[in-house]
Amino acid sequence: MYFSNYREQKGTTVNPSLLWEYDLKHFDYQAMRSVVVQRVIERGWPADWYAILNLYGEDGVKEAIRSIPYLNERDAHFVSVIFQIPSNEMACYVRKQSRRHTGTPEAVNAE
């Protein structure tokens, strides 16, 4: 895994600017795991990746990735490769595929 040395980066924390709209004094990082992981995927730096891996563990990050409803194609492909998650196990991929086949306006605009 690309971030396999994350255990050596124990002091890292998620950059608060990634969660700018939340009151971090009362923020539940466990309950909001998918939001945190999605923000790091979309906008995080390596230190943020180390932080989520130390906070949630590899399995926790993978589980969160599988449940994220939307990621752009580049980010979805990146995490699929880095964490060895088949695309069809990711909610963002399944959701995108179902929109393409329903004939909805979102599907028409996505193509």
Side-chain angles (χ1 to χ4, degrees), residues 37-96:
V37 171
Q38 182 173 4
R39 296 293 173 84
V40 170
I41 291 169
E42 293 172 339
R43 300 178 186 96
W45 290 89
D48 299 310
W49 284 95
Y50 293 131
I52 63 170
L53 285 163
N54 280 309
L55 183 60
Y56 305 122
E58 289 180 50
D59 291 338
V61 171
K62 286 179 181 182
E63 186 178 316
I65 289 168
R66 286 183 174 97
S67 70
I68 295 171
Y70 175 80
L71 287 173
N72 67 43
E73 286 187 39
R74 185 193 76 207
D75 291 338
H77 180 72
F78 175 76
V79 294
S80 174
V81 170
I82 293 298
F83 291 97
Q84 300 174 348
I85 302 171
S87 298
N88 62 352
E89 292 181 10
M90 297 169 57
C92 62
Y93 176 82
V94 172
R95 184 173 181 218
K96 182 177 180 177

